[in-house]
Amino acid sequence: VAYRTAWVHDVLGLETEAVAYYERSLAGTGLGAEDRRGALLGLGSTYRVLGRYGQAVETLRLGIEEFPDDGALQTFLAMALFNTEEHHEAMRLLLRLVASTSDDPHVQKYRPAIEHYAKDLHETM
């Protein structure tokens, strides 16, 4: 119930009020995996919208630890990392995500190069 209440508050633009419900839902043990994934994403995103960037990064990293293949969590983490001026890591996440999920044949043609440079954008050779 707390997770659904948080989500409704978020949708209504009541992000500040949503936080306590997200936190309560994550503190308990009643969430299934998909709802937990959604709560971690929702809370991390809400922290970011509220300018609580450090908490956003922390929450979204936790989400990725639990759900490492979730591209939405990775994308929202990249946005939060941008806000904390961790641009290199944000770009690394997004480049790896694009390389691994894009159906664009041109991206796939250059996938090895994109993945290589995602490790270190300062490398030139």
Side-chain angles (χ1 to χ4, degrees):
V1 173
Y3 168 56
R4 299 290 180 209
T5 304
W7 185 83
V8 168
H9 280 78
D10 243 351
V11 170
L12 293 173
L14 303 170
E15 289 87 359
T16 301
E17 293 84 353
V19 169
Y21 292 106
Y22 278 127
E23 292 173 339
R24 186 176 310 139
S25 74
L26 289 164
T29 58
L31 288 180
E34 285 308 306
D35 284 344
R36 182 163 174 81
R37 179 191 310 246
L40 287 164
L41 178 62
L43 180 58
S45 173
T46 299
Y47 280 149
R48 184 184 161 277
V49 167
L50 296 173
R52 295 164 66 175
Y53 305 128
Q55 289 174 294
V57 168
E58 181 181 324
T59 302
L60 294 164
R61 282 191 198 279
L62 175 62
I64 290 172
E65 284 176 26
E66 293 185 34
F67 306 99
D69 296 327
D70 188 308
L73 283 164
Q74 293 173 33
T75 302
F76 278 85
L77 175 58
M79 289 187 274
L81 289 167
F82 175 84
N83 294 122
T84 60
E85 299 188 14
E86 296 177 66
H87 304 126
H88 187 84
E89 187 175 356
M91 282 297 299
R92 179 184 61 77
L93 277 172
L94 290 177
L95 287 172
R96 291 172 82 193
L97 186 62
V98 166
S100 67
T101 63
S102 177
D103 290 334
D104 184 312
H106 302 289
V107 170
Q108 289 306 306
K109 179 179 176 180
Y110 293 100
R111 182 177 178 173
I114 294 168
E115 289 175 336
H116 173 78
Y117 288 115
K119 295 175 190 167
D120 185 359
L121 287 170
H122 296 292
E123 185 177 329
T124 58
M125 296 294 279

